[in-house]
Amino acid sequence: MRADLNCISIGSNNQTIACDNATGDFSLQSAFAFEPIPHIQAIEELSSSFDQQNFLISQVQQFSDLTNKLNFTIDRQTELMVHGKSLITTLESVNDTLSSTPKGSLSEVIIGALFSVIAAFTFNLIYWYLVDKKKKLSSSIARLNTVLDAFEKTATEYWYFSYHIRHSKSNKIKEMKMKAEHRILRQSKSEIVKLIHRKKTKTEVDAELTELLSSLFDSATGGDFESSERKEDLKRVGEIIKICTQIRMITAGLNT
Amino acid sequence: MEMSVFNIGLQFSQEPSGRYYSDTNKRSGEAFREEFLRKELEALQPDEKITFIMDDGVEGYGSSFLTEGFAGIVKYGYMQASEFKRKIEFQYSDSDFKFYADKIIQYISEAQFNSKKYVPTKPKTK
């Protein structure tokens, strides 16, 4: 039996008679069966449609991403092309400058080159001339100081002791040494003055050294020089040491 | 102007040294002045000069010799410094001897005329 109700049928009730093998009793069994409903099918279709739509949306999104990336790449390439063109223009300009011949005639170019060579040569010549002069000056000053040391030692020893007949020979040697060494000092002074570069310094140093050497001559070979009556003269010893030191100070100033 | 020449190395000594006779006898400044220079100066004509050759065989001079030999002329009153300087000249081949010539002029200029009485130191010969 099937009940008809004023409602939406969602299924059917199937009844069957069953006989128990043991007891032999009969029984009525009902089984309810669902039937497909159009609404549910619609919902399923709608759901399926949503799934498809979602899939399409994701596809569109991916496509949009790809488009953006492509645009970025195209922009970069355009920018690089612009820079490349600028670089090529610059390189062409450099190439033109380097490969082109100088303006002016060939003779002007040769004269210019020749002048540069002469200028470089002259500068080199002057530089080494000055270096050589400086070395010679140092050498001459060293020679003067060596002779000055010897003169100072001889003169101070000579005047520190009175004349004694027992030392007459050594005294004679000292007298001859003092005269000879003073001559060498004067010659060394002339060499040094010649090697001084600045005219003002040359004049000043010449005047100062000439004056000092003149005073040294008076002190060392004056008084009872070469006399058998000579007494020790400590004042004269002091003068000789003082003058020698003044000469050393002047030459030291030149050597710096 | 006439010119007289005196070669110190040849006519006096190649080793002029010392101040007085008592120091080096015939080579001293005193000997040079008294035995040679005074006589040469006295023999000069009024407008005549004497030239001293300084470096012929001579190695050098000491201040004591130059002072006594040349400036002694003024110091002992034999001649005024200005007149003496006018009458003498120096000659040398070695330019270094200019120093001695300059020193002689300096000593003559600094000497006081007739400021000292001359007392000979020459030993008396027997």
Side-chain angles (χ1 to χ4, degrees):
Chain A
M1 190 178 92
R2 181 172 177 176
D4 288 328
L5 299 170
N6 288 329
C7 63
I8 297 168
S9 174
I10 58 171
S12 59
N13 194 7
N14 298 325
Q15 289 181 332
T16 55
I17 298 168
C19 180
D20 192 343
N21 288 336
T23 62
D25 294 338
F26 291 91
S27 63
L28 187 64
Q29 288 183 340
S30 298
F32 189 81
F34 286 98
E35 292 176 359
I37 300 170
H39 291 88
I40 292 171
Q41 284 179 342
I43 288 167
E44 282 177 349
E45 284 173 4
L46 197 61
S47 173
S48 172
S49 173
F50 278 140
D51 287 344
Q52 282 183 354
Q53 200 171 7
N54 282 338
F55 175 73
L56 282 171
I57 287 168
S58 70
Q59 288 288 316
V60 168
Q61 190 69 42
Q62 283 180 0
F63 184 73
S64 175
D65 289 346
L66 278 170
T67 310
N68 285 338
K69 283 179 181 174
L70 198 61
N71 283 337
F72 178 74
T73 309
I74 289 166
D75 287 347
R76 287 281 297 163
Q77 277 188 338
T78 311
E79 193 181 342
L80 283 171
M81 277 177 70
V82 170
H83 284 187
K85 277 181 183 174
S86 170
L87 184 65
I88 286 165
T89 311
T90 311
L91 285 172
E92 280 175 354
S93 169
V94 171
N95 185 38
D96 288 346
T97 309
L98 290 175
S99 59
S100 64
T101 51
K103 287 176 182 175
S105 64
L106 182 66
S107 61
E108 283 175 337
V109 172
I110 290 169
I111 288 166
L114 200 66
F115 182 77
S116 303
V117 169
I118 290 167
F121 176 76
T122 310
F123 173 79
N124 216 18
L125 202 70
I126 292 168
Y127 173 77
W128 286 111
Y129 170 74
L130 291 175
V131 168
D132 187 49
K133 209 171 179 182
K134 184 80 180 167
K135 278 184 184 173
K136 280 182 182 171
L137 180 65
S138 297
S139 176
S140 296
I141 289 169
R143 275 205 297 275
L144 182 132
N145 283 333
T146 304
V147 180
L148 190 66
D149 291 344
F151 181 88
E152 186 181 36
K153 186 172 182 293
T154 311
T156 49
E157 282 177 1
Y158 181 79
W159 285 104
Y160 192 79
F161 301 102
S162 302
Y163 174 84
H164 195 282
I165 187 74
R166 195 172 60 184
H167 303 298
S168 60
K169 283 188 178 176
S170 68
N171 277 332
K172 186 69 189 164
I173 290 170
K174 280 177 184 169
E175 286 158 4
M176 291 171 79
K177 274 184 78 176
M178 284 160 71
K179 285 197 273 189
E181 284 167 356
H182 196 272
R183 276 192 71 182
I184 296 170
L185 282 176
R186 296 197 302 270
Q187 288 164 358
S188 296
K189 185 267 297 179
S190 300
E191 279 177 24
I192 288 169
V193 168
K194 275 182 197 168
L195 291 167
I196 295 172
H197 184 61
R198 290 182 62 199
K199 195 176 178 182
K200 190 184 172 191
T201 314
K202 186 195 282 269
T203 312
E204 285 174 359
V205 170
D206 189 22
E208 285 174 0
L209 286 180
T210 302
E211 178 65 31
L212 286 169
L213 286 174
S214 178
S215 302
L216 190 63
F217 178 77
D218 291 343
S219 293
T221 66
D224 284 331
F225 183 71
E226 296 174 326
S227 168
S228 55
E229 303 294 319
R230 177 174 56 84
K231 302 290 179 195
E232 66 173 34
D233 194 338
L234 295 181
K235 189 187 170 193
R236 204 175 282 272
V237 171
E239 280 174 9
I240 290 165
I241 292 171
K242 183 185 162 191
I243 295 167
C244 288
T245 307
Q246 285 175 318
I247 292 171
R248 281 192 200 96
M249 283 172 68
I250 291 172
T251 55
L254 290 173
N255 216 5
T256 51
Chain B
M1 183 179 285
E2 291 181 48
M3 190 74 78
S4 174
V5 177
F6 188 86
N7 189 322
I8 296 175
L10 291 179
Q11 294 175 261
F12 176 64
S13 169
Q14 290 192 338
E15 201 185 330
S17 56
R19 189 180 289 272
Y20 303 119
Y21 277 112
S22 53
D23 299 331
T24 52
N25 203 2
K26 291 282 183 184
R27 294 179 281 120
S28 67
E30 185 184 4
F32 173 74
R33 184 188 69 235
E34 295 298 323
E35 294 182 25
F36 294 90
L37 186 54
R38 273 185 68 189
K39 290 175 184 172
E40 291 289 334
L41 289 172
E42 284 168 3
L44 289 178
Q45 298 298 315
D47 58 345
E48 197 178 2
K49 281 191 171 190
I50 181 168
T51 299
F52 293 97
I53 298 173
M54 304 283 291
D55 58 346
D56 191 0
V58 179
E59 280 301 310
Y61 300 89
S63 173
S64 55
F65 173 86
L66 297 177
T67 308
E68 195 61 33
F70 288 91
I73 293 286
V74 179
K75 186 170 68 174
Y76 297 118
Y78 299 129
M79 193 178 283
Q80 290 281 358
S82 54
E83 187 187 354
F84 184 33
K85 282 193 284 186
R86 273 200 308 272
K87 285 184 175 294
I88 56 173
E89 280 186 356
F90 302 96
Q91 191 179 310
Y92 37 79
S93 53
D94 183 349
S95 60
D96 189 53
F97 276 71
K98 181 180 184 302
F99 174 80
Y100 299 116
D102 291 342
K103 290 305 286 186
I104 290 168
I105 298 297
Q106 179 197 327
Y107 295 146
I108 292 169
S109 302
E110 289 172 356
Q112 298 290 314
F113 179 72
N114 205 15
S115 59
K116 195 174 180 182
K117 188 177 187 313
Y118 174 57
V119 180
T121 65
K122 187 176 183 181
K124 287 178 182 174
T125 51
K126 291 178 182 176

